[in-house]
Amino acid sequence: MGLNGALQIGRSAILTSQAAISVAGNNMANAATPGYHRQIANLSPSRPEAIGRNQFVGSGVSLVSVNRAIDHALQSRLRDAISDENSAGIDQRFLSAVETIQNELSEDDLSSRLSTFFNAFSELANNPLDNAIRTVVIQQGVSVADHVNMIRDEYVTLREESDRALGTSVDRVDGLLGEIATMNQQIAETEGGQGGATGGANSLRDRRDQLIDELAGFIDVTTIDQPNGSVDILVGSTPLVLAGESRGIQLRRESGPEGIEVSVRVGDDGTLLDIKSGSIGALVRQREETVNPAIEAIDEFAG
């Protein structure tokens, strides 16, 4: 190796160190940026040069790639936690609403009105010819009937609220799936199908992760990384995004024996989605397991 080779080694060291400093500076500049993942400059010795028979000498250092520092297992657990947190929030909100409607911890509840109603009947049994007591019995009966009707109306309003929230959430999820599919295309094109080997689409990957995190708040998702850098999105075993194609989701409303029934399905072929968590999963569950049974119970009581 001559003088020129020695200078090239020094040159590679300076350029590579400069690039590594730039990566470190970028990390510091984005320390508070939402969704940003710290990046790492990966260095490697350059290919050695032959200086004689079976003798080689190093030719410097090179920057192989700039990759994100990310733990995929931890990221998956975080998304599960996001889904569970949103689901628990919806459960708490609807169960609190039902508790407020029933109002059983106060003196203005159905059981208290029933007690007053039957007490009036008991008094009437002792004084059957007293017109004043008869009037009180009628008034108490009207009060019970009005309270039952009020409870049912509020349950129906709560169900309508869940249906509106479901419609809004499903529309947002459908939009997110389309954005993720578009990001998949852009990442695959930027990285040339190398699947992040060069780190050329780190910013796009950060943005896609943000979209998937937001998606996890609505539905419980599973992600599968593909060699070309794209990510497939599944709910259970049902795919919603395959590479650069979104299959979409839709809210279907159908008339059933108990009234309007709702379900969340794949937009392409109508496959029923078994969503167990996230705000959409909780909304469907609360509608079917809390609000509808409450309406049936008050109807049965009234009957």
Side-chain angles (χ1 to χ4, degrees):
M1 175 181 292
L3 177 61
N4 184 62
L7 293 175
Q8 288 298 325
I9 291 176
R11 179 177 181 272
S12 71
I14 293 173
L15 293 177
T16 303
S17 297
Q18 183 180 14
I21 291 173
S22 297
V23 172
N26 186 54
N27 287 336
M28 295 179 64
N30 288 281
T33 302
Y36 178 81
H37 290 85
R38 181 171 60 89
Q39 298 179 5
I40 299 175
N42 298 311
L43 310 182
S44 176
S46 299
R47 184 175 180 179
E49 294 182 0
I51 59 173
R53 185 174 183 182
N54 295 327
Q55 294 182 353
F56 298 87
V57 67
S59 59
V61 63
S62 61
L63 179 66
V64 178
S65 62
V66 179
N67 298 118
R68 301 185 305 160
I70 185 169
D71 187 325
H72 292 286
L74 183 61
Q75 187 179 53
S76 177
R77 292 180 61 187
L78 173 62
R79 287 169 181 163
D80 289 343
I82 291 173
S83 294
D84 292 341
E85 179 187 19
N86 284 22
S87 177
I90 294 294
D91 288 343
Q92 191 273 339
R93 179 158 65 90
F94 273 79
L95 292 175
S96 296
V98 170
E99 183 180 31
T100 301
I101 292 172
Q102 293 179 347
N103 202 24
E104 286 294 329
L105 299 179
S106 72
E107 295 182 357
D108 185 25
D109 58 345
L110 181 59
S111 59
S112 297
R113 290 172 184 266
L114 283 173
S115 296
T116 304
F117 176 59
F118 288 120
N119 287 339
F121 255 120
S122 178
E123 187 175 353
L124 180 62
N126 297 325
N127 302 279
L129 300 179
D130 192 325
N131 290 329
I133 298 178
R134 290 186 178 188
T135 301
V136 171
V137 170
I138 294 173
Q139 290 174 344
Q140 294 301 329
V142 171
S143 175
V144 170
D146 289 343
H147 195 72
V148 168
N149 288 331
M150 182 270 293
I151 290 176
R152 192 186 193 283
D153 289 342
E154 292 191 4
Y155 280 146
V156 171
T157 300
L158 188 62
R159 182 169 62 184
E160 292 172 350
E161 177 188 340
S162 73
D163 290 350
R164 286 193 298 270
L166 272 172
T168 302
S169 298
V170 168
D171 288 343
R172 178 55 183 157
V173 168
D174 190 58
L176 286 172
L177 294 174
E179 291 184 59
I180 293 170
T182 300
M183 297 299 294
N184 278 343
Q185 290 179 330
Q186 294 176 355
I187 291 170
E189 292 170 359
T190 301
E191 295 179 349
Q194 298 184 49
T198 61
N202 285 336
S203 296
L204 294 175
R205 285 174 173 267
D206 284 346
R207 174 56 183 157
R208 184 178 64 186
D209 283 347
Q210 282 186 288
L211 294 174
I212 297 175
D213 289 346
E214 183 181 352
L215 180 66
F218 292 102
I219 56 179
D220 47 309
V221 296
T222 302
T223 60
I224 300 177
D225 293 322
Q226 298 300 325
N228 66 347
S230 63
V231 169
D232 292 344
I233 306 291
L234 296 86
V235 171
S237 59
T238 304
L240 295 180
V241 173
L242 295 173
E245 178 183 356
S246 168
R247 302 182 68 206
I249 69 170
Q250 62 179 355
L251 182 67
R252 183 174 297 181
R253 295 179 173 87
E254 299 173 317
S255 297
E258 305 298 332
I260 300 298
E261 298 177 354
V262 301
S263 59
V264 182
R265 298 176 179 270
V266 178
D268 274 358
D269 55 14
T271 300
L272 179 65
L273 290 174
D274 183 19
I275 302 174
K276 299 183 179 299
S277 189
S279 59
I280 290 180
L283 285 168
V284 173
R285 181 173 62 253
Q286 287 299 322
R287 186 186 194 278
E288 300 303 325
E289 299 180 8
T290 300
V291 181
N292 279 346
I295 293 175
E296 292 171 5
I298 199 69
D299 286 345
E300 182 179 357
F301 170 80

